[in-house]
PDB file of all heavy atoms in Angstrom:
ATOM      1  N   GLY P  20     136.821 140.836  54.438  1.00  0.00           N
ATOM      2  CA  GLY P  20     137.966 140.356  55.195  1.00  0.00           C
ATOM      3  C   GLY P  20     139.008 141.400  55.507  1.00  0.00           C
ATOM      4  O   GLY P  20     140.170 141.067  55.730  1.00  0.00           O
ATOM      5  N   LEU P  21     138.649 142.684  55.546  1.00  0.00           N
ATOM      6  CA  LEU P  21     139.598 143.689  55.989  1.00  0.00           C
ATOM      7  C   LEU P  21     139.883 143.526  57.483  1.00  0.00           C
ATOM      8  O   LEU P  21     140.962 143.890  57.956  1.00  0.00           O
ATOM      9  CB  LEU P  21     139.082 145.103  55.704  1.00  0.00           C
ATOM     10  CG  LEU P  21     139.226 145.577  54.247  1.00  0.00           C
ATOM     11  CD1 LEU P  21     138.142 144.972  53.368  1.00  0.00           C
ATOM     12  CD2 LEU P  21     139.175 147.099  54.164  1.00  0.00           C
ATOM     13  N   LEU P  22     138.901 143.014  58.202  1.00  0.00           N
ATOM     14  CA  LEU P  22     139.058 142.622  59.596  1.00  0.00           C
ATOM     15  C   LEU P  22     138.582 141.187  59.736  1.00  0.00           C
ATOM     16  O   LEU P  22     137.634 140.777  59.057  1.00  0.00           O
ATOM     17  CB  LEU P  22     138.227 143.514  60.525  1.00  0.00           C
ATOM     18  CG  LEU P  22     138.600 144.996  60.616  1.00  0.00           C
ATOM     19  CD1 LEU P  22     137.539 145.744  61.424  1.00  0.00           C
ATOM     20  CD2 LEU P  22     139.981 145.183  61.229  1.00  0.00           C
ATOM     21  N   SER P  23     139.208 140.430  60.624  1.00  0.00           N
ATOM     22  CA  SER P  23     138.715 139.089  60.905  1.00  0.00           C
ATOM     23  C   SER P  23     137.780 139.130  62.105  1.00  0.00           C
ATOM     24  O   SER P  23     137.859 140.040  62.944  1.00  0.00           O
ATOM     25  CB  SER P  23     139.873 138.124  61.180  1.00  0.00           C
ATOM     26  OG  SER P  23     140.434 138.345  62.468  1.00  0.00           O
ATOM     27  N   ILE P  24     136.905 138.148  62.172  1.00  0.00           N
ATOM     28  CA  ILE P  24     136.004 138.042  63.321  1.00  0.00           C
ATOM     29  C   ILE P  24     136.817 137.940  64.612  1.00  0.00           C
ATOM     30  O   ILE P  24     136.494 138.559  65.626  1.00  0.00           O
ATOM     31  CB  ILE P  24     135.095 136.807  63.165  1.00  0.00           C
ATOM     32  CG1 ILE P  24     134.172 136.956  61.950  1.00  0.00           C
ATOM     33  CG2 ILE P  24     134.269 136.580  64.435  1.00  0.00           C
ATOM     34  CD1 ILE P  24     133.140 138.043  62.063  1.00  0.00           C
ATOM     35  N   ARG P  25     137.891 137.181  64.564  1.00  0.00           N
ATOM     36  CA  ARG P  25     138.698 136.990  65.769  1.00  0.00           C
ATOM     37  C   ARG P  25     139.396 138.286  66.187  1.00  0.00           C
ATOM     38  O   ARG P  25     139.465 138.595  67.389  1.00  0.00           O
ATOM     39  CB  ARG P  25     139.724 135.883  65.548  1.00  0.00           C
ATOM     40  CG  ARG P  25     140.625 135.654  66.751  1.00  0.00           C
ATOM     41  CD  ARG P  25     141.303 134.312  66.721  1.00  0.00           C
ATOM     42  NE  ARG P  25     142.107 134.102  65.521  1.00  0.00           N
ATOM     43  CZ  ARG P  25     142.693 132.939  65.241  1.00  0.00           C
ATOM     44  NH1 ARG P  25     142.557 131.908  66.048  1.00  0.00           N
ATOM     45  NH2 ARG P  25     143.412 132.803  64.137  1.00  0.00           N
ATOM     46  N   GLN P  26     139.908 139.049  65.230  1.00  0.00           N
ATOM     47  CA  GLN P  26     140.531 140.319  65.570  1.00  0.00           C
ATOM     48  C   GLN P  26     139.562 141.209  66.344  1.00  0.00           C
ATOM     49  O   GLN P  26     139.922 141.794  67.371  1.00  0.00           O
ATOM     50  CB  GLN P  26     140.965 141.059  64.300  1.00  0.00           C
ATOM     51  CG  GLN P  26     142.246 140.589  63.664  1.00  0.00           C
ATOM     52  CD  GLN P  26     142.541 141.403  62.426  1.00  0.00           C
ATOM     53  OE1 GLN P  26     141.836 141.322  61.416  1.00  0.00           O
ATOM     54  NE2 GLN P  26     143.603 142.210  62.490  1.00  0.00           N
ATOM     55  N   VAL P  27     138.344 141.322  65.844  1.00  0.00           N
ATOM     56  CA  VAL P  27     137.360 142.206  66.470  1.00  0.00           C
ATOM     57  C   VAL P  27     136.914 141.647  67.811  1.00  0.00           C
ATOM     58  O   VAL P  27     136.770 142.381  68.790  1.00  0.00           O
ATOM     59  CB  VAL P  27     136.162 142.423  65.523  1.00  0.00           C
ATOM     60  CG1 VAL P  27     135.040 143.179  66.233  1.00  0.00           C
ATOM     61  CG2 VAL P  27     136.615 143.169  64.271  1.00  0.00           C
ATOM     62  N   HIS P  28     136.695 140.340  67.882  1.00  0.00           N
ATOM     63  CA  HIS P  28     136.271 139.715  69.131  1.00  0.00           C
ATOM     64  C   HIS P  28     137.296 139.989  70.227  1.00  0.00           C
ATOM     65  O   HIS P  28     136.938 140.384  71.356  1.00  0.00           O
ATOM     66  CB  HIS P  28     136.102 138.211  68.918  1.00  0.00           C
ATOM     67  CG  HIS P  28     135.435 137.486  70.042  1.00  0.00           C
ATOM     68  ND1 HIS P  28     136.126 137.048  71.153  1.00  0.00           N
ATOM     69  CD2 HIS P  28     134.135 137.124  70.245  1.00  0.00           C
ATOM     70  CE1 HIS P  28     135.298 136.449  71.979  1.00  0.00           C
ATOM     71  NE2 HIS P  28     134.082 136.475  71.446  1.00  0.00           N
ATOM     72  N   GLN P  29     138.559 139.809  69.934  1.00  0.00           N
ATOM     73  CA  GLN P  29     139.592 140.014  70.940  1.00  0.00           C
ATOM     74  C   GLN P  29     139.763 141.495  71.271  1.00  0.00           C
ATOM     75  O   GLN P  29     139.971 141.857  72.439  1.00  0.00           O
ATOM     76  CB  GLN P  29     140.910 139.402  70.462  1.00  0.00           C
ATOM     77  CG  GLN P  29     140.850 137.881  70.361  1.00  0.00           C
ATOM     78  CD  GLN P  29     142.171 137.254  69.943  1.00  0.00           C
ATOM     79  OE1 GLN P  29     143.184 137.940  69.795  1.00  0.00           O
ATOM     80  NE2 GLN P  29     142.164 135.939  69.737  1.00  0.00           N
ATOM     81  N   TYR P  30     139.658 142.350  70.268  1.00  0.00           N
ATOM     82  CA  TYR P  30     139.801 143.789  70.533  1.00  0.00           C
ATOM     83  C   TYR P  30     138.678 144.279  71.446  1.00  0.00           C
ATOM     84  O   TYR P  30     138.921 145.048  72.382  1.00  0.00           O
ATOM     85  CB  TYR P  30     139.786 144.574  69.221  1.00  0.00           C
ATOM     86  CG  TYR P  30     140.009 146.056  69.418  1.00  0.00           C
ATOM     87  CD1 TYR P  30     141.301 146.575  69.482  1.00  0.00           C
ATOM     88  CD2 TYR P  30     138.932 146.934  69.562  1.00  0.00           C
ATOM     89  CE1 TYR P  30     141.511 147.932  69.679  1.00  0.00           C
ATOM     90  CE2 TYR P  30     139.133 148.287  69.755  1.00  0.00           C
ATOM     91  CZ  TYR P  30     140.425 148.784  69.817  1.00  0.00           C
ATOM     92  OH  TYR P  30     140.626 150.134  70.023  1.00  0.00           O
ATOM     93  N   VAL P  31     137.463 143.833  71.177  1.00  0.00           N
ATOM     94  CA  VAL P  31     136.324 144.263  71.999  1.00  0.00           C
ATOM     95  C   VAL P  31     136.484 143.759  73.426  1.00  0.00           C
ATOM     96  O   VAL P  31     136.284 144.505  74.398  1.00  0.00           O
ATOM     97  CB  VAL P  31     134.999 143.772  71.379  1.00  0.00           C
ATOM     98  CG1 VAL P  31     133.838 143.948  72.359  1.00  0.00           C
ATOM     99  CG2 VAL P  31     134.714 144.525  70.083  1.00  0.00           C
ATOM    100  N   ASN P  32     136.850 142.494  73.595  1.00  0.00           N
ATOM    101  CA  ASN P  32     137.005 141.949  74.947  1.00  0.00           C
ATOM    102  C   ASN P  32     138.148 142.607  75.710  1.00  0.00           C
ATOM    103  O   ASN P  32     138.090 142.745  76.936  1.00  0.00           O
ATOM    104  CB  ASN P  32     137.239 140.432  74.878  1.00  0.00           C
ATOM    105  CG  ASN P  32     135.948 139.662  74.682  1.00  0.00           C
ATOM    106  OD1 ASN P  32     134.866 140.137  75.025  1.00  0.00           O
ATOM    107  ND2 ASN P  32     136.047 138.479  74.110  1.00  0.00           N
ATOM    108  N   ASN P  33     139.174 143.031  74.986  1.00  0.00           N
ATOM    109  CA  ASN P  33     140.329 143.636  75.646  1.00  0.00           C
ATOM    110  C   ASN P  33     140.180 145.124  75.913  1.00  0.00           C
ATOM    111  O   ASN P  33     140.964 145.697  76.686  1.00  0.00           O
ATOM    112  CB  ASN P  33     141.595 143.412  74.803  1.00  0.00           C
ATOM    113  CG  ASN P  33     142.005 141.955  74.732  1.00  0.00           C
ATOM    114  OD1 ASN P  33     141.663 141.165  75.606  1.00  0.00           O
ATOM    115  ND2 ASN P  33     142.728 141.591  73.680  1.00  0.00           N
ATOM    116  N   ASN P  34     139.186 145.752  75.282  1.00  0.00           N
ATOM    117  CA  ASN P  34     139.105 147.211  75.371  1.00  0.00           C
ATOM    118  C   ASN P  34     137.754 147.731  75.840  1.00  0.00           C
ATOM    119  O   ASN P  34     137.511 148.942  75.764  1.00  0.00           O
ATOM    120  CB  ASN P  34     139.437 147.832  74.009  1.00  0.00           C
ATOM    121  CG  ASN P  34     140.882 147.646  73.610  1.00  0.00           C
ATOM    122  OD1 ASN P  34     141.745 148.411  74.019  1.00  0.00           O
ATOM    123  ND2 ASN P  34     141.145 146.612  72.811  1.00  0.00           N
ATOM    124  N   THR P  35     136.893 146.848  76.330  1.00  0.00           N
ATOM    125  CA  THR P  35     135.609 147.295  76.859  1.00  0.00           C
ATOM    126  C   THR P  35     135.344 146.609  78.191  1.00  0.00           C
ATOM    127  O   THR P  35     135.798 145.480  78.414  1.00  0.00           O
ATOM    128  CB  THR P  35     134.449 146.960  75.902  1.00  0.00           C
ATOM    129  OG1 THR P  35     134.379 145.541  75.725  1.00  0.00           O
ATOM    130  CG2 THR P  35     134.632 147.625  74.562  1.00  0.00           C
ATOM    131  N   PRO P  36     134.614 147.273  79.074  1.00  0.00           N
ATOM    132  CA  PRO P  36     134.245 146.618  80.332  1.00  0.00           C
ATOM    133  C   PRO P  36     133.196 145.552  80.087  1.00  0.00           C
ATOM    134  O   PRO P  36     132.461 145.593  79.086  1.00  0.00           O
ATOM    135  CB  PRO P  36     133.680 147.778  81.165  1.00  0.00           C
ATOM    136  CG  PRO P  36     133.152 148.738  80.150  1.00  0.00           C
ATOM    137  CD  PRO P  36     134.087 148.654  78.981  1.00  0.00           C
ATOM    138  N   GLU P  37     133.111 144.578  80.971  1.00  0.00           N
ATOM    139  CA  GLU P  37     132.072 143.550  80.866  1.00  0.00           C
ATOM    140  C   GLU P  37     130.715 144.229  81.039  1.00  0.00           C
ATOM    141  O   GLU P  37     130.468 144.917  82.015  1.00  0.00           O
ATOM    142  CB  GLU P  37     132.289 142.486  81.940  1.00  0.00           C
ATOM    143  CG  GLU P  37     131.632 141.140  81.631  1.00  0.00           C
ATOM    144  CD  GLU P  37     130.111 141.169  81.781  1.00  0.00           C
ATOM    145  OE1 GLU P  37     129.627 141.944  82.635  1.00  0.00           O
ATOM    146  OE2 GLU P  37     129.431 140.436  81.050  1.00  0.00           O
ATOM    147  N   CYS P  38     129.855 144.055  80.053  1.00  0.00           N
ATOM    148  CA  CYS P  38     128.536 144.687  80.096  1.00  0.00           C
ATOM    149  C   CYS P  38     127.626 143.959  79.124  1.00  0.00           C
ATOM    150  O   CYS P  38     128.060 143.130  78.322  1.00  0.00           O
ATOM    151  CB  CYS P  38     128.613 146.173  79.742  1.00  0.00           C
ATOM    152  SG  CYS P  38     129.188 146.514  78.052  1.00  0.00           S
ATOM    153  N   ARG P  39     126.350 144.279  79.198  1.00  0.00           N
ATOM    154  CA  ARG P  39     125.376 143.619  78.327  1.00  0.00           C
ATOM    155  C   ARG P  39     125.663 143.907  76.859  1.00  0.00           C
ATOM    156  O   ARG P  39     125.537 143.025  76.002  1.00  0.00           O
ATOM    157  CB  ARG P  39     123.973 144.090  78.691  1.00  0.00           C
ATOM    158  CG  ARG P  39     122.885 143.392  77.876  1.00  0.00           C
ATOM    159  CD  ARG P  39     121.493 143.775  78.382  1.00  0.00           C
ATOM    160  NE  ARG P  39     120.493 143.102  77.584  1.00  0.00           N
ATOM    161  CZ  ARG P  39     119.517 143.725  76.924  1.00  0.00           C
ATOM    162  NH1 ARG P  39     119.429 145.037  76.979  1.00  0.00           N
ATOM    163  NH2 ARG P  39     118.642 143.044  76.220  1.00  0.00           N
ATOM    164  N   GLY P  40     126.066 145.132  76.543  1.00  0.00           N
ATOM    165  CA  GLY P  40     126.365 145.470  75.157  1.00  0.00           C
ATOM    166  C   GLY P  40     127.486 144.627  74.600  1.00  0.00           C
ATOM    167  O   GLY P  40     127.422 144.166  73.460  1.00  0.00           O
ATOM    168  N   ARG P  41     128.524 144.395  75.408  1.00  0.00           N
ATOM    169  CA  ARG P  41     129.627 143.571  74.942  1.00  0.00           C
ATOM    170  C   ARG P  41     129.179 142.135  74.734  1.00  0.00           C
ATOM    171  O   ARG P  41     129.541 141.493  73.732  1.00  0.00           O
ATOM    172  CB  ARG P  41     130.788 143.614  75.939  1.00  0.00           C
ATOM    173  CG  ARG P  41     132.047 142.959  75.398  1.00  0.00           C
ATOM    174  CD  ARG P  41     133.209 143.096  76.354  1.00  0.00           C
ATOM    175  NE  ARG P  41     133.238 142.018  77.343  1.00  0.00           N
ATOM    176  CZ  ARG P  41     134.222 141.843  78.231  1.00  0.00           C
ATOM    177  NH1 ARG P  41     135.224 142.716  78.269  1.00  0.00           N
ATOM    178  NH2 ARG P  41     134.193 140.849  79.087  1.00  0.00           N
ATOM    179  N   ARG P  42     128.386 141.606  75.660  1.00  0.00           N
ATOM    180  CA  ARG P  42     127.918 140.222  75.510  1.00  0.00           C
ATOM    181  C   ARG P  42     127.048 140.066  74.272  1.00  0.00           C
ATOM    182  O   ARG P  42     127.177 139.087  73.527  1.00  0.00           O
ATOM    183  CB  ARG P  42     127.145 139.791  76.765  1.00  0.00           C
ATOM    184  CG  ARG P  42     127.990 139.660  78.011  1.00  0.00           C
ATOM    185  CD  ARG P  42     127.248 138.925  79.109  1.00  0.00           C
ATOM    186  NE  ARG P  42     126.014 139.573  79.507  1.00  0.00           N
ATOM    187  CZ  ARG P  42     125.927 140.521  80.435  1.00  0.00           C
ATOM    188  NH1 ARG P  42     127.027 140.956  81.040  1.00  0.00           N
ATOM    189  NH2 ARG P  42     124.759 141.046  80.759  1.00  0.00           N
ATOM    190  N   MET P  43     126.173 141.017  74.039  1.00  0.00           N
ATOM    191  CA  MET P  43     125.298 140.919  72.874  1.00  0.00           C
ATOM    192  C   MET P  43     126.093 141.008  71.578  1.00  0.00           C
ATOM    193  O   MET P  43     125.847 140.257  70.628  1.00  0.00           O
ATOM    194  CB  MET P  43     124.233 142.011  72.924  1.00  0.00           C
ATOM    195  CG  MET P  43     123.179 141.790  73.991  1.00  0.00           C
ATOM    196  SD  MET P  43     121.916 143.081  73.975  1.00  0.00           S
ATOM    197  CE  MET P  43     121.200 142.792  72.372  1.00  0.00           C
ATOM    198  N   PHE P  44     127.053 141.921  71.528  1.00  0.00           N
ATOM    199  CA  PHE P  44     127.809 142.094  70.293  1.00  0.00           C
ATOM    200  C   PHE P  44     128.688 140.880  70.012  1.00  0.00           C
ATOM    201  O   PHE P  44     128.729 140.377  68.877  1.00  0.00           O
ATOM    202  CB  PHE P  44     128.662 143.361  70.355  1.00  0.00           C
ATOM    203  CG  PHE P  44     129.521 143.538  69.134  1.00  0.00           C
ATOM    204  CD1 PHE P  44     128.951 143.875  67.911  1.00  0.00           C
ATOM    205  CD2 PHE P  44     130.895 143.342  69.192  1.00  0.00           C
ATOM    206  CE1 PHE P  44     129.738 144.025  66.772  1.00  0.00           C
ATOM    207  CE2 PHE P  44     131.683 143.484  68.059  1.00  0.00           C
ATOM    208  CZ  PHE P  44     131.102 143.826  66.853  1.00  0.00           C
ATOM    209  N   THR P  45     129.401 140.394  71.009  1.00  0.00           N
ATOM    210  CA  THR P  45     130.266 139.232  70.779  1.00  0.00           C
ATOM    211  C   THR P  45     129.453 137.986  70.440  1.00  0.00           C
ATOM    212  O   THR P  45     129.923 137.113  69.700  1.00  0.00           O
ATOM    213  CB  THR P  45     131.171 138.965  71.989  1.00  0.00           C
ATOM    214  OG1 THR P  45     130.374 138.861  73.181  1.00  0.00           O
ATOM    215  CG2 THR P  45     132.186 140.087  72.159  1.00  0.00           C
ATOM    216  N   SER P  46     128.219 137.903  70.942  1.00  0.00           N
ATOM    217  CA  SER P  46     127.373 136.772  70.543  1.00  0.00           C
ATOM    218  C   SER P  46     127.044 136.848  69.062  1.00  0.00           C
ATOM    219  O   SER P  46     126.949 135.826  68.379  1.00  0.00           O
ATOM    220  CB  SER P  46     126.085 136.733  71.372  1.00  0.00           C
ATOM    221  OG  SER P  46     125.183 137.758  70.981  1.00  0.00           O
ATOM    222  N   ARG P  47     126.896 138.050  68.537  1.00  0.00           N
ATOM    223  CA  ARG P  47     126.616 138.200  67.115  1.00  0.00           C
ATOM    224  C   ARG P  47     127.824 137.848  66.254  1.00  0.00           C
ATOM    225  O   ARG P  47     127.673 137.413  65.111  1.00  0.00           O
ATOM    226  CB  ARG P  47     126.111 139.620  66.839  1.00  0.00           C
ATOM    227  CG  ARG P  47     124.627 139.755  67.169  1.00  0.00           C
ATOM    228  CD  ARG P  47     124.213 141.165  67.537  1.00  0.00           C
ATOM    229  NE  ARG P  47     122.768 141.212  67.751  1.00  0.00           N
ATOM    230  CZ  ARG P  47     122.157 140.751  68.835  1.00  0.00           C
ATOM    231  NH1 ARG P  47     122.864 140.214  69.824  1.00  0.00           N
ATOM    232  NH2 ARG P  47     120.839 140.820  68.954  1.00  0.00           N
ATOM    233  N   LEU P  48     129.003 138.037  66.790  1.00  0.00           N
ATOM    234  CA  LEU P  48     130.193 137.574  66.067  1.00  0.00           C
ATOM    235  C   LEU P  48     130.176 136.053  65.948  1.00  0.00           C
ATOM    236  O   LEU P  48     130.580 135.486  64.922  1.00  0.00           O
ATOM    237  CB  LEU P  48     131.461 138.038  66.785  1.00  0.00           C
ATOM    238  CG  LEU P  48     131.687 139.549  66.876  1.00  0.00           C
ATOM    239  CD1 LEU P  48     132.989 139.846  67.611  1.00  0.00           C
ATOM    240  CD2 LEU P  48     131.686 140.198  65.501  1.00  0.00           C
ATOM    241  N   ILE P  49     129.691 135.395  66.993  1.00  0.00           N
ATOM    242  CA  ILE P  49     129.576 133.933  66.944  1.00  0.00           C
ATOM    243  C   ILE P  49     128.504 133.518  65.951  1.00  0.00           C
ATOM    244  O   ILE P  49     128.664 132.533  65.218  1.00  0.00           O
ATOM    245  CB  ILE P  49     129.293 133.375  68.348  1.00  0.00           C
ATOM    246  CG1 ILE P  49     130.477 133.674  69.270  1.00  0.00           C
ATOM    247  CG2 ILE P  49     129.018 131.873  68.302  1.00  0.00           C
ATOM    248  CD1 ILE P  49     130.247 133.314  70.718  1.00  0.00           C
ATOM    249  N   TRP P  50     127.404 134.276  65.882  1.00  0.00           N
ATOM    250  CA  TRP P  50     126.372 133.963  64.887  1.00  0.00           C
ATOM    251  C   TRP P  50     126.929 134.101  63.473  1.00  0.00           C
ATOM    252  O   TRP P  50     126.539 133.358  62.571  1.00  0.00           O
ATOM    253  CB  TRP P  50     125.161 134.872  65.088  1.00  0.00           C
ATOM    254  CG  TRP P  50     124.353 134.507  66.295  1.00  0.00           C
ATOM    255  CD1 TRP P  50     124.204 133.263  66.848  1.00  0.00           C
ATOM    256  CD2 TRP P  50     123.615 135.406  67.118  1.00  0.00           C
ATOM    257  NE1 TRP P  50     123.403 133.335  67.957  1.00  0.00           N
ATOM    258  CE2 TRP P  50     123.021 134.625  68.151  1.00  0.00           C
ATOM    259  CE3 TRP P  50     123.383 136.773  67.097  1.00  0.00           C
ATOM    260  CZ2 TRP P  50     122.210 135.185  69.139  1.00  0.00           C
ATOM    261  CZ3 TRP P  50     122.577 137.326  68.074  1.00  0.00           C
ATOM    262  CH2 TRP P  50     122.002 136.534  69.089  1.00  0.00           C
ATOM    263  N   ASN P  51     127.810 135.069  63.266  1.00  0.00           N
ATOM    264  CA  ASN P  51     128.442 135.206  61.955  1.00  0.00           C
ATOM    265  C   ASN P  51     129.139 133.895  61.583  1.00  0.00           C
ATOM    266  O   ASN P  51     128.976 133.387  60.468  1.00  0.00           O
ATOM    267  CB  ASN P  51     129.440 136.374  62.001  1.00  0.00           C
ATOM    268  CG  ASN P  51     130.113 136.622  60.664  1.00  0.00           C
ATOM    269  OD1 ASN P  51     130.793 135.767  60.116  1.00  0.00           O
ATOM    270  ND2 ASN P  51     129.941 137.824  60.142  1.00  0.00           N
ATOM    271  N   CYS P  52     129.904 133.341  62.530  1.00  0.00           N
ATOM    272  CA  CYS P  52     130.572 132.063  62.282  1.00  0.00           C
ATOM    273  C   CYS P  52     129.555 130.945  62.083  1.00  0.00           C
ATOM    274  O   CYS P  52     129.749 130.049  61.244  1.00  0.00           O
ATOM    275  CB  CYS P  52     131.491 131.721  63.457  1.00  0.00           C
ATOM    276  SG  CYS P  52     132.828 132.904  63.736  1.00  0.00           S
ATOM    277  N   HIS P  53     128.485 130.984  62.855  1.00  0.00           N
ATOM    278  CA  HIS P  53     127.447 129.955  62.769  1.00  0.00           C
ATOM    279  C   HIS P  53     126.858 129.859  61.364  1.00  0.00           C
ATOM    280  O   HIS P  53     126.739 128.768  60.794  1.00  0.00           O
ATOM    281  CB  HIS P  53     126.349 130.279  63.784  1.00  0.00           C
ATOM    282  CG  HIS P  53     125.051 129.573  63.556  1.00  0.00           C
ATOM    283  ND1 HIS P  53     124.896 128.211  63.709  1.00  0.00           N
ATOM    284  CD2 HIS P  53     123.836 130.055  63.196  1.00  0.00           C
ATOM    285  CE1 HIS P  53     123.636 127.879  63.455  1.00  0.00           C
ATOM    286  NE2 HIS P  53     122.983 128.979  63.136  1.00  0.00           N
ATOM    287  N   TYR P  54     126.516 131.002  60.774  1.00  0.00           N
ATOM    288  CA  TYR P  54     125.895 130.972  59.456  1.00  0.00           C
ATOM    289  C   TYR P  54     126.899 130.600  58.372  1.00  0.00           C
ATOM    290  O   TYR P  54     126.555 129.923  57.397  1.00  0.00           O
ATOM    291  CB  TYR P  54     125.221 132.312  59.151  1.00  0.00           C
ATOM    292  CG  TYR P  54     123.956 132.496  59.953  1.00  0.00           C
ATOM    293  CD1 TYR P  54     123.855 133.477  60.934  1.00  0.00           C
ATOM    294  CD2 TYR P  54     122.868 131.653  59.761  1.00  0.00           C
ATOM    295  CE1 TYR P  54     122.701 133.621  61.687  1.00  0.00           C
ATOM    296  CE2 TYR P  54     121.707 131.793  60.512  1.00  0.00           C
ATOM    297  CZ  TYR P  54     121.632 132.779  61.474  1.00  0.00           C
ATOM    298  OH  TYR P  54     120.496 132.914  62.227  1.00  0.00           O
ATOM    299  N   ASN P  55     128.143 131.031  58.522  1.00  0.00           N
ATOM    300  CA  ASN P  55     129.143 130.619  57.541  1.00  0.00           C
ATOM    301  C   ASN P  55     129.487 129.143  57.675  1.00  0.00           C
ATOM    302  O   ASN P  55     129.857 128.500  56.693  1.00  0.00           O
ATOM    303  CB  ASN P  55     130.392 131.495  57.666  1.00  0.00           C
ATOM    304  CG  ASN P  55     130.289 132.749  56.821  1.00  0.00           C
ATOM    305  OD1 ASN P  55     130.408 132.700  55.602  1.00  0.00           O
ATOM    306  ND2 ASN P  55     130.045 133.880  57.470  1.00  0.00           N
ATOM    307  N   GLN P  56     129.358 128.588  58.895  1.00  0.00           N
ATOM    308  CA  GLN P  56     129.528 127.146  59.054  1.00  0.00           C
ATOM    309  C   GLN P  56     128.468 126.399  58.256  1.00  0.00           C
ATOM    310  O   GLN P  56     128.740 125.338  57.664  1.00  0.00           O
ATOM    311  CB  GLN P  56     129.436 126.760  60.530  1.00  0.00           C
ATOM    312  CG  GLN P  56     129.620 125.271  60.800  1.00  0.00           C
ATOM    313  CD  GLN P  56     131.032 124.802  60.523  1.00  0.00           C
ATOM    314  OE1 GLN P  56     131.977 125.236  61.173  1.00  0.00           O
ATOM    315  NE2 GLN P  56     131.183 123.898  59.554  1.00  0.00           N
ATOM    316  N   LYS P  57     127.262 126.948  58.209  1.00  0.00           N
ATOM    317  CA  LYS P  57     126.200 126.319  57.429  1.00  0.00           C
ATOM    318  C   LYS P  57     126.593 126.210  55.955  1.00  0.00           C
ATOM    319  O   LYS P  57     126.407 125.175  55.312  1.00  0.00           O
ATOM    320  CB  LYS P  57     124.905 127.127  57.558  1.00  0.00           C
ATOM    321  CG  LYS P  57     124.161 126.960  58.866  1.00  0.00           C
ATOM    322  CD  LYS P  57     122.965 127.928  58.901  1.00  0.00           C
ATOM    323  CE  LYS P  57     122.121 127.718  60.150  1.00  0.00           C
ATOM    324  NZ  LYS P  57     120.954 126.868  59.909  1.00  0.00           N
ATOM    325  N   LEU P  58     127.144 127.307  55.400  1.00  0.00           N
ATOM    326  CA  LEU P  58     127.531 127.284  53.996  1.00  0.00           C
ATOM    327  C   LEU P  58     128.724 126.360  53.779  1.00  0.00           C
ATOM    328  O   LEU P  58     128.823 125.699  52.738  1.00  0.00           O
ATOM    329  CB  LEU P  58     127.859 128.692  53.504  1.00  0.00           C
ATOM    330  CG  LEU P  58     128.108 128.830  52.002  1.00  0.00           C
ATOM    331  CD1 LEU P  58     126.863 128.450  51.203  1.00  0.00           C
ATOM    332  CD2 LEU P  58     128.555 130.243  51.651  1.00  0.00           C
ATOM    333  N   ALA P  59     129.627 126.306  54.760  1.00  0.00           N
ATOM    334  CA  ALA P  59     130.755 125.373  54.657  1.00  0.00           C
ATOM    335  C   ALA P  59     130.261 123.929  54.674  1.00  0.00           C
ATOM    336  O   ALA P  59     130.825 123.057  54.008  1.00  0.00           O
ATOM    337  CB  ALA P  59     131.742 125.616  55.799  1.00  0.00           C
TER     338      ALA P  59
END
């Protein structure tokens, strides 16, 4: 928790051009939430 998923998601969207790499990476941030939702 030195960084939050939301902090990184917003930083990436605000500081990178729209591209396949950005879409793939931000989708993995959502998967992070998905798996933790399972444990919750």
Side-chain angles (χ1 to χ4, degrees):
L21 282 78
L22 295 172
S23 75
I24 296 293
R25 179 161 58 186
Q26 281 180 292
V27 172
H28 191 276
Q29 293 182 4
Y30 183 86
V31 168
N32 280 336
N33 293 336
N34 292 277
T35 61
E37 202 287 329
C38 63
R39 183 174 180 236
R41 189 176 87 174
R42 292 194 301 273
M43 289 182 64
F44 177 71
T45 53
S46 74
R47 279 153 176 76
L48 297 180
I49 296 173
W50 287 330
N51 182 300
C52 298
H53 163 68
Y54 287 114
N55 272 286
Q56 181 68 63
K57 284 175 176 263
L58 187 62

